Amino acid sequence: MKRYDSLRWILLAAGVIAILGLTSMNVYSLYELHESTIQVDRQPKKLQVAEFADKVRYRFFKPFWGLSSTNMERLKSRFSQDNQFTTAIHKRVKQAATDSIFKDIYFIPSSLDGCGQGESILKYDPEKEKLVWNDSYPAAVCDGMGIARTQMKALVKDYKYNNKVIFDTNRSVTLAFIDPSEHTIFGYLTMPLDQEYLKNDFLPSALNKHFGKSQQAGVNVWLRDWTNDNIIASSDPGVPYDHDKIQFKQRFPDFFDNWKLEVSFTNTPTIEASNSSLLKNLIVLGAAVLLLLGSLVFMFMSAQKERALAERQAGFLANVTHELKTPLAVMQAAGENLSDGRVKDQTRLKNYGTHIYNEAVRLRRMIEKLLDVAKADAGQSLIEPQPVNLDQLVQSYIDEQKSYIKSRGFALDVAIENDIPKAMVDIDSFETILGNLVENALKYSNEERYLGVSLEADDDNITLKVEDHGVGMPKKVISHIFDKFYRAEDTLTAQTKGHGLGLSIVKSLVELNGGSIRVSSEVGKGSIFTVTFPTLVNSPVEESQASAVDSSAMRSPSLTP
Ligand code: ADP
């Protein structure tokens, strides 16, 4: 049996690990499923945000759509005549001049070196509907043109188209006219952006129009200037910006480099449903795991308990067989010696008689204990509760055992209250209970020999206490003493004879008689066993039954041989 012990523990550990492993795999898959539901739900919204960025970008190209079909030769020759555009280009510039995004429109032919204070460049005059020379313009014009010139220098050698749009962040847009056949730049049309209109009008309304209220859209989008850390516009102005809740960011590549679209997703019905199904699954899984682990551990522990009980039972049987045989052998030998008539000496005859008597008493006590076990095991069927005066039972027990207890050097302290009410208890059971508790108190005491027996009552209960100042017990032992066949592996216990049955019998009998038992004990100081029975609520029938009980009829539990 013992050699399977570690195997059993290994199997239990393997079972627990398997359950936990399976559970974590399940939890992981549930989370993955939940995550992918969220991703599937959010993917279209991410695309919508990217689409918005593109839409805004193309909005700046709008006035110049179709420019690629323009004949550069014609443009160059027209411009060389009177510094004006061809009709086709003029039409687009005129259209751009009415667009609120652009503040003004300037043209700097590439033949012109300078752009800056005092230098004249061309500006489109919407009233005159032509380009006119101008020498007072904002610095942003030259900055935009400068950026475009630097970029085009690197590009122009391999560039195949006749125009390119270049952004100076949110300040200006420059359209470079290119002659791809000659790989030269004709000039730069620079349009400073109307910042106020962009920030206060164009972007807020574009955002709002594209996404709408967050509840329907499933997203909140903020346009944030991350260089200055301020919010320029948002899709739903009712929802405040919270940096910690941002889940996705979209840049405006190549045109608004210092602005970003920052997005937080709101839960849609699909995500809500997935959330609640995840929660339900986790609860069910958790409960199932607890149940599985609980039953596994419970089954393991009860198997361990039963195994320990079986081991103790086997030990008990071996013991009992031995203890039944020993007195029989002594009696047999003494009887033989007496029966063949060879022993004549009075003293020896008396000795043989005493041997036979003592061994018979030992045998009787053994058999009585076995009967008690049988009785406790049989349960209610062998119990005959009746209204009894427990004070009389305790008193007559003490009267019988007093001299024996004292002869063993014990100080006896008996305190029985007056007017103890009756209790509904089986007399035999009570004797066994009291007898076993006193027997233990005597057995498990060594230096300080003290036995206290008290009986007291309140309105509801009658309480019997058996106290000793003996070896006491640690907590670990206390939790087992009422188990069948349990004996503490203490040196004194090992020296004392016993089978670990007394207290299990006591507990069963106390409970069969409707009472309860508890123990308080301290190692080296002693123990107090407290047994409580409910008082009998007197009724005429119970009274008459009670008077029929003669307490002197009780079998006094014998401590003495
Ligand atoms: P047994 O006395 O035959 O061993 P019991 O069931 O009566 O069996 O007691 C079980 C164990 O409880 C004892 O072996 C002993 O270790 C402990 N025990 C019982 N009563 C006392 C007591 N009064 N003081 C200390 N230990 C006790």
Side-chain angles (χ1 to χ4, degrees), residues 2-264:
K2 278 247 188 286
R3 74 199 150 103
Y4 291 120
D5 228 29
S6 43
L7 181 67
R8 263 186 224 110
W9 281 101
I10 291 170
L11 285 179
L12 174 73
V16 171
I17 290 169
I19 293 174
L20 293 180
L22 279 173
T23 313
S24 12
M25 269 172 62
N26 266 312
V27 170
Y28 180 71
S29 323
L30 283 174
Y31 268 106
E32 278 225 309
L33 187 69
H34 180 60
E35 266 307 303
S36 67
T37 312
I38 292 177
Q39 290 311 325
V40 168
D41 191 72
R42 287 181 178 168
Q43 195 53 33
K45 282 159 207 151
K46 285 186 182 170
L47 291 176
Q48 207 186 346
V49 176
E51 185 189 66
F52 175 77
D54 278 346
K55 244 181 162 173
V56 172
R57 190 165 195 258
Y58 284 111
R59 174 68 184 77
F60 294 90
F61 301 157
K62 209 172 145 194
F64 303 103
W65 275 345
L67 208 67
S68 47
S69 58
T70 305
N71 186 325
M72 287 310 284
E73 282 311 310
R74 281 236 302 279
L75 176 63
K76 274 190 196 169
S77 76
R78 174 75 174 86
F79 191 77
S80 63
Q81 286 168 28
D82 59 355
N83 289 337
Q84 297 300 324
F85 292 135
T86 56
T87 330
I89 304 275
H90 180 252
K91 228 171 102 185
R92 292 174 201 287
V93 173
K94 190 179 162 187
Q95 195 189 330
T98 62
D99 194 330
S100 323
I101 290 178
F102 308 117
K103 255 187 165 166
D104 292 304
I105 302 176
Y106 295 89
F107 183 69
I108 305 147
S110 59
S111 53
L112 221 70
D113 267 351
C115 178
Q117 216 53 50
E119 302 285 344
S120 278
I121 60 171
L122 287 159
K123 181 181 182 185
Y124 181 73
D125 185 335
E127 276 169 27
K128 291 183 187 150
E129 294 193 348
K130 60 187 221 173
L131 293 166
V132 291
W133 289 102
N134 180 296
D135 58 9
S136 137
Y137 43 85
V141 178
C142 296
D143 293 347
M145 201 273 285
I147 288 171
R149 181 177 280 183
T150 319
Q151 275 200 22
M152 286 320 297
K153 247 187 203 159
L155 282 177
V156 78
K157 272 184 274 153
D158 308 311
Y159 208 72
K160 293 194 201 84
Y161 310 101
N162 64 2
N163 71 82
K164 177 157 174 64
V165 177
I166 294 139
F167 284 86
D168 172 15
T169 59
N170 54 327
R171 299 166 74 210
S172 69
V173 180
T174 296
L175 180 75
F177 290 106
I178 301 146
D179 185 343
S181 56
E182 291 178 3
H183 301 294
T184 54
I185 316 276
F186 166 61
Y188 302 94
L189 196 69
T190 299
M191 295 159 282
L193 297 173
D194 186 338
Q195 303 274 334
E196 295 310 305
Y197 173 74
L198 259 187
K199 290 181 184 173
N200 301 333
D201 219 328
F202 172 70
L203 288 167
S205 77
L207 265 174
N208 200 258
K209 218 165 112 193
H210 194 81
F211 297 102
K213 289 266 174 233
S214 53
Q215 260 169 352
Q216 283 94 45
V219 276
N220 270 308
V221 185
W222 290 272
L223 179 68
R224 179 164 170 260
D225 178 351
W226 56 270
T227 49
N228 294 313
D229 191 20
N230 70 321
I231 301 297
I232 296 164
S234 78
S235 61
D236 187 349
V239 183
Y241 174 79
D242 181 351
H243 189 261
D244 296 338
K245 291 197 176 143
I246 298 303
Q247 289 155 301
F248 174 66
K249 290 180 183 171
Q250 167 76 47
R251 292 182 54 224
F252 288 100
D254 302 333
F255 67 118
F256 294 156
D257 285 333
N258 51 348
W259 292 356
K260 259 182 199 162
L261 289 169
E262 300 198 356
V263 179
S264 82

Side-chain angles (χ1 to χ4, degrees), residues 315-431:
F316 167 74
L317 264 181
N319 248 339
V320 161
T321 324
H322 172 76
E323 286 197 26
L324 285 179
K325 271 181 173 171
T326 318
L328 276 177
V330 174
M331 284 160 77
Q332 193 180 350
E336 237 173 59
N337 285 346
L338 288 178
S339 61
D340 64 14
R342 272 183 290 151
V343 182
K344 300 267 180 343
D345 176 42
Q346 280 303 310
T347 331
R348 285 187 68 199
L349 274 175
K350 195 170 174 267
N351 277 346
Y352 279 124
T354 313
H355 271 321
I356 293 175
Y357 174 73
N358 284 346
E359 294 306 317
V361 168
R362 255 180 83 186
L363 212 53
R364 195 198 78 202
R365 287 180 60 199
M366 281 293 307
I367 289 164
E368 266 173 20
K369 186 131 283 177
L370 285 175
L371 285 176
D372 285 340
V373 177
K375 195 183 274 188
D377 280 351
Q380 214 71 48
S381 58
L382 291 179
I383 300 291
E384 285 171 19
Q386 47 190 307
V388 281
N389 290 315
L390 295 185
D391 49 345
Q392 288 176 18
L393 295 187
V394 174
Q395 192 57 60
S396 69
Y397 173 82
I398 293 293
D399 291 346
E400 285 225 4
Q401 302 299 332
K402 195 158 46 190
S403 54
Y404 170 72
I405 294 167
K406 289 198 166 154
S407 75
R408 292 212 28 204
F410 275 80
L412 178 62
D413 185 4
V414 180
I416 302 174
E417 261 184 11
N418 291 330
D419 303 326
I420 300 275
K422 285 183 178 145
M424 198 67 179
V425 167
D426 171 56
I427 295 175
D428 280 353
S429 299
F430 188 77
E431 290 166 4

